[in-house]
Amino acid sequence: SQTIHQWPATLVQPVGSPLSLECTVEGTSNPNLYWYRQAAGRGLQLLFYSVGIGQISSEVPQNLSASRPQDRQFILSSKKLLLSDSGFYLCAWSPGQGADTQYFGPGTRLTVL
Amino acid sequence: AQKVTQAQTEISVVEKEDVTLDCVYETRDTTYYLFWYKQPPSGELVFLIRRNSFDEQNEISGRYSWNFQKSTSSFNFTITASQVVDSAVYFCALTNSGGYQKVTFGTGTKLQVIP
């Protein structure tokens, strides 16, 4: 069966510090991968998606970037965090064929102080 | 453009009551897919159901049931005999049938089941 991991689970970072969040998927090959952000009490905002290694598409311009160095690894980064980057970050995967269901990881709660 | 509306921001019910969560969607596509996800306090989104636009049969899974009506563009979710463990935020979502699917999520309905 497939599983998706995210770490760290929680993170408190000062403004201006760098960020690296990691997401890995097990038990599948060539998945589509997604990064979402959920601000407190709000809905989900798609940040990035990837259909293959090195292929990243950004949905909104922002302070963040994403990379996919391996087939089942998706990384969310920032060089300098802003207060507005605080939120709950969710990684998701889908099988990559047609309109398949997206399955979500446990999330990372980021607080920027 | 696609849109999903969950007009109910928060609902409180007493345990064992039935509750229906509303979802209304907009899309120009003739083929599309609808989803419901549950987000408990732990934060992880849990997939509940997927329904394609050609299948209007209602579905029941234990205490959960879903009513899909294309005529009213609605995909409502009913929990029968609610339990405290049902307390969560529930999201309705929509996607088209393209190779890469951008999922449009509603803003969620927070359900609180009071013991």
Side-chain angles (χ1 to χ4, degrees):
Chain A
S1 63
Q2 300 84 14
T3 55
I4 179 169
H5 304 280
Q6 286 185 247
W7 61 89
T10 60
L11 191 59
V12 180
Q13 292 285 93
V15 170
S17 64
L19 173 74
S20 181
L21 303 181
E22 189 165 343
C23 170
T24 58
V25 181
E26 295 178 355
T28 187
S29 297
N30 303 315
N32 288 344
L33 296 172
Y34 310 83
W35 277 112
Y36 288 86
R37 177 169 60 198
Q38 185 178 31
R42 304 185 67 177
L44 290 122
Q45 177 187 36
L46 178 64
L47 302 175
F48 301 95
Y49 68 90
S50 172
V51 298
I53 296 174
Q55 302 178 59
I56 309 295
S57 295
S58 173
E59 284 293 304
V60 290
Q62 57 210 327
N63 184 41
L64 303 170
S65 62
S67 62
R68 185 170 176 174
Q70 300 180 39
D71 181 46
R72 290 168 289 178
Q73 184 185 32
F74 205 23
I75 297 172
L76 182 68
S77 303
S78 173
K79 292 183 180 178
K80 287 186 178 182
L81 283 169
L82 306 172
L83 286 173
S84 58
D85 291 324
S86 293
F88 190 54
Y89 289 82
L90 288 155
C91 181
W93 75 275
S94 67
Q97 294 292 330
D100 287 298
T101 303
Q102 291 185 16
Y103 299 94
F104 288 79
T108 295
R109 200 165 300 278
L110 172 66
T111 303
V112 182
L113 301 175
Chain B
Q2 298 180 326
K3 186 178 179 181
V4 176
T5 301
Q6 293 182 256
Q8 303 153 309
T9 305
E10 291 192 35
I11 301 175
S12 290
V13 298
V14 176
E15 199 171 21
K16 297 184 182 179
E17 287 184 346
D18 299 346
V19 58
T20 295
L21 309 182
D22 297 333
C23 173
V24 175
Y25 62 91
E26 297 177 26
T27 181
R28 295 179 181 176
D29 296 316
T30 55
T31 301
Y32 52 89
Y33 296 82
L34 295 161
F35 305 84
W36 276 97
Y37 287 87
K38 174 183 179 180
Q39 187 177 39
S42 62
E44 180 177 353
L45 261 75
V46 178
F47 165 70
L48 296 178
I49 190 171
R50 164 186 152 162
R51 175 68 62 194
N52 74 55
S53 53
F54 296 108
D55 183 1
E56 289 193 69
Q57 281 190 334
N58 291 333
E59 179 148 345
I60 299 174
S61 176
R63 297 184 296 106
Y64 295 172
S65 62
W66 291 270
N67 181 10
F68 176 31
Q69 293 193 341
K70 287 180 75 172
S71 60
T72 56
S73 297
S74 64
F75 187 42
N76 295 337
F77 173 30
T78 297
I79 302 174
T80 303
S82 60
Q83 300 177 1
V84 173
V85 293
D86 296 327
S87 297
V89 180
Y90 291 86
F91 290 94
C92 181
L94 165 72
T95 190
N96 60 22
S97 59
Y100 151 67
Q101 72 273 25
K102 178 176 179 178
V103 180
T104 300
F105 284 87
T107 50
T109 297
K110 184 176 182 179
L111 173 65
Q112 184 178 14
V113 180
I114 303 167

